[in-house]
Amino acid sequence: MPEELEFDDLTKFLTRPHAYTGERLSPGTKQVERSYLQIWSQWATEEGEIPVDIARRLPRVRVPRRRARPIAQAHIDAMLKLDTLWQSTLDLIAVAANTGLRVAEIVRIHGTHYDSRTAVLKVVRKGGLVQYIYCNQAVIEIAERLPSDGWWFPSPYKNHLFPDGDGHVLPKSASARMTAVLRRIGVEDPRVTGHSLRHFYCCLQIRLGVPIHIVQELMGHASLNTTQNYIKVTEEELEAAVAGMPYIPAGLSSMNPGTFPFERASRVPHAPHGQLQATG
C-alpha cells in the first residue's frame, strides 16, 4: 500500500541491480527514476494518499557528462561489405547511417510513409511526434526496392506488439543485429552499439558545416544540449582550431627577465575614469 512506503524503500529501489545485467543502474537511469518518484510522491501527498512527501529528500544523482561514441566511415563500409548478411540487415545499417534515425524509428517505417514524388519520409519520433525528413539518394534507392504498402522491416514472427503477426521487427532485435555486425568486423568496445550509427550521422553533419540548430532538427532532439552530447571533437579539429589563431607575439622587454612585478590597483591612486588599472 502507498501509505506504508518509507524513505528507505525508495533508496533501496534506486540502488537495486539491473534486472537483466545484474549490474548497477546507470546514473542516467537513476536520475530519471528519482524524478518520477518525486513527481509521484508530491502528487500522492497533495491527494492524501501518503502522509508526507517521502521522495523530497532523495539525494541528487550525479550524472557524468556523456561522451559521443560515433563509429568511423571505414567501420560502416566494412559492415556493408560483409557478404553473409541478409539484405534487410544491410538496408537497416544503410538507413541508420544515412538518416540518423533511432532504431525504434527505423523499424516503424511503413511503405505508405514514403512519398516518392518528393523523396520525403514520414517518421514517428520519440513520444509519438511526427516529423517529415528528406531522403538522400541512398535512402531513395532503398525505398524504391522495398514494398510501398508494407513494413520496410517486417518480422516473420509474432511478438508482444503484434500477437497475430504481420508486424515489424522489434527495436531491440534490430539494434542487437547491428551490434552483432559491429562485433564481426572487430569493434569490441561495448559502448559502441547500433545506436552509434546515430552518433556517426550527427558528427558527420557537423563536420560538413551544417549549423548545429539544423542538426538538432535532423536528429529530432527537443534540446540542443542533447545534440551536443552526440558530437565528438577529434584531435585534428582541436589542432586546426589552435592553428587558426592569429600570431600574437609577446615582444621583448628591457626589464630583468627574472622578475615579474605584481601591481595592485590600490597603488595607482585616483586613476581617471575609464583608465585601466593593473591588478596583477
Side-chain angles (χ1 to χ4, degrees):
M1 299 295 290
E3 63 270 15
E4 297 177 356
L5 284 174
E6 298 181 353
F7 177 79
D8 288 345
D9 296 321
L10 303 188
T11 56
K12 288 179 181 178
F13 175 76
L14 291 176
T15 55
R16 74 190 187 283
H18 193 282
Y20 294 111
T21 65
E23 299 177 354
R24 287 183 174 185
L25 296 178
S26 69
T29 300
K30 283 186 179 181
Q31 182 187 50
V32 171
E33 293 189 349
R34 172 183 177 271
S35 173
Y36 289 159
L37 287 173
Q38 289 186 322
I39 293 172
W40 171 83
S41 181
Q42 182 179 359
W43 170 84
T45 304
E46 294 173 353
E47 295 295 320
E49 297 290 333
I50 56 177
V52 294
D53 187 350
I54 56 176
R56 184 174 59 85
R57 294 187 297 109
L58 286 173
R60 297 184 64 179
V61 179
R62 291 181 176 270
V63 180
R65 182 181 175 185
R66 288 178 57 185
R67 297 290 182 183
R69 51 183 195 276
I71 57 179
Q73 176 73 53
H75 291 135
I76 296 176
D77 293 341
M79 294 170 75
L80 295 174
K81 286 179 180 177
L82 289 175
D83 56 6
T84 55
L85 299 181
W86 293 102
Q87 185 62 53
S88 60
T89 302
L90 294 173
D91 291 340
L92 182 68
I93 295 168
V95 171
N98 283 285
T99 65
L101 293 174
R102 300 174 180 89
V103 175
E105 297 165 350
I106 295 174
V107 298
R108 288 200 296 260
I109 297 175
H110 194 272
T112 57
H113 295 167
Y114 176 71
D115 186 342
S116 60
R117 294 165 298 182
T118 59
V120 169
L121 181 65
K122 174 185 174 182
V123 177
V124 182
R125 292 285 196 180
K126 215 173 184 179
L129 176 69
V130 175
Q131 187 177 14
Y132 294 86
I133 66 171
Y134 294 97
C135 300
N136 65 5
Q137 186 59 36
V139 178
I140 291 173
E141 292 172 2
I142 293 173
E144 291 175 347
R145 279 194 289 98
L146 297 180
S148 60
D149 58 351
W151 300 109
W152 277 17
F153 301 97
S155 172
Y157 308 108
K158 298 178 181 180
N159 54 53
H160 67 279
L161 292 181
F162 302 95
D164 297 326
D166 296 327
H168 59 67
V169 174
L170 294 179
K172 185 176 180 180
S173 174
S175 180
R177 192 187 305 181
M178 288 195 291
T179 301
V181 177
L182 282 165
R183 300 296 174 263
R184 284 183 59 184
I185 64 170
V187 179
E188 299 296 338
D189 188 342
R191 297 171 300 175
V192 177
T193 65
H195 191 71
S196 297
L197 275 76
R198 184 165 160 81
H199 289 242
F200 161 80
Y201 177 84
C202 183
C203 290
L204 180 61
Q205 292 293 340
I206 291 295
R207 290 184 186 127
L208 289 174
V210 179
I212 192 170
H213 66 280
I214 296 179
V215 177
Q216 176 191 356
E217 288 295 319
L218 292 172
M219 297 289 287
H221 287 150
S223 169
L224 192 61
N225 291 335
T226 305
T227 306
Q228 290 175 324
N229 288 333
Y230 280 70
I231 301 171
K232 181 177 178 62
V233 180
T234 66
E235 293 297 324
E236 292 78 10
E237 289 169 327
L238 293 172
E239 183 179 2
V242 175
M245 285 288 295
Y247 177 57
I248 309 174
L252 297 176
S253 172
S254 61
M255 300 293 289
N256 184 345
T259 62
F260 190 87
F262 288 88
E263 296 180 349
R264 297 184 180 277
S266 59
R267 295 182 183 179
V268 186
H270 308 297
H273 178 70
Q275 178 178 324
L276 294 177
Q277 300 181 13
T279 57

